[in-house]
Amino acid sequence: MRVVAVEEHLTTEAFLRVAHGLDVVPGDETEMALMRRVEKAPPLRARLVDLDARLREMDALGQDMAVLSLNPPGVQPYPAADAVPLAREFNDALAAIVRRHPDRFGGLATVAPQDPAAAAAEIERAMGPLGLNGIMINSHTGGRYLDEPEFAPLLEAAEANRAPVYLHPRAPSMPAPYRDHGMLGAIWGYQAEAGLHAMRLILSGTLDRHPGLTVVLGHLGEGIPYWLRRIDNRHAFATRTAGAATPMPRLSLTPSEYFRRNFVVTTSGIDDPDVLGLALRAVGEDNIMFAIDWPYEDPAAAVAFLREAPLTDDQRTAIGHRTAERVFGIA
């Protein structure tokens, strides 16, 4: 079986030399202090930058391809004047990697949403001359979300250029309640943040304005498939009951219909057959892709899960490679 993994992070020594010397925008200091420590730790740094070692491990696992993306949170914690050229330089390096190994690597461009016009131009460049497969947005940018009007140029460019938007988690925009007990990161804060962002896109009417937009969520949907029936139920109640909710726009579809139409989920970090079964019932195998979440999860365990999970042959084929090939335009 062909195996394509789609949430596989990397960085370059050149990127780290520049990024680690930049000032961070107010509010992102704690997250970036943690991430910079991770990126400096020798074992993880080596796994992020050493592509030859990664290819050897992929060969050993029987993993055919990885869709690479910049280690989160990308360039979003930096002032726009620094972030825009840094994104371009990284995307040039990523495109060169993909050109050297077209059968082994795809790539998701990084953009700077803090300058929406520049981000839109970079999406067009990434999907055109650079030949990349989509973009990654690491949730909020300075506490702002993609449903807000200022980001319309970015979403218009993504839709027009058929660039899937991988909406990746990062530390929540309201970090105070998460700082205690280790909850700022992947234990709880990441999925809470990414799920919030996805729900803002659904409930804001953004997907009525951009019906052709494809949004990718990791971790089997950041919890949303578990809640779809209740979300529809309570949204319908709030729509017909005055005062039941804060003001909200009228939508053309139910929330779950947007989720099934515009979202694709990946298995990253959740090697759980029960949760996968729920996702299959919620969105179907043609909206689920395999991902490892390199280097933060165990690749051998993830590939073994894909091969051994209780799936039909068609489901395993769709999750293993077919959905990724369609969504990301992989040959």
Side-chain angles (χ1 to χ4, degrees), residues 88 91-92 95 98-99 109 122 124-132:
R88 286 180 61 89
N91 292 336
D92 287 341
V98 173
R99 284 194 298 271
E122 189 64 4
E124 185 171 351
R125 191 175 80 98
M127 300 302 291
L130 294 188
L132 297 176

Side-chain angles (χ1 to χ4, degrees), residues 14-28:
F15 178 90
L16 293 178
R17 279 195 300 273
V18 176
H20 284 198
L22 295 176
D23 292 331
V24 176
V25 297
D28 287 350

Side-chain angles (χ1 to χ4, degrees), residues 259-273:
F259 194 78
R260 294 185 175 100
R261 185 189 73 181
N262 292 93
F263 286 80
V264 182
V265 305
T266 83
T267 63
S268 59
I270 302 193
D271 300 338
D272 184 326

Side-chain angles (χ1 to χ4, degrees), residues 80-93:
D82 297 316
V84 170
L86 188 58
R88 286 180 61 89
E89 291 165 11
F90 174 80
N91 292 336
D92 287 341

Side-chain angles (χ1 to χ4, degrees), residues 8 30 54 74 84 95-97 113-114 144 155 185 188 200 217 229-230 245 266-267 283 292 298 301 314 322:
E8 316 312 312
T30 299
R54 184 177 302 203
V84 170
I97 290 168
Q114 51 270 62
R144 308 299 297 273
L155 296 183
W188 191 253
R200 288 182 64 105
L217 286 177
R229 182 170 296 188
R230 176 167 173 80
T266 83
T267 63
V283 301
I292 295 169
D298 180 349
D314 189 61
R322 190 177 69 210

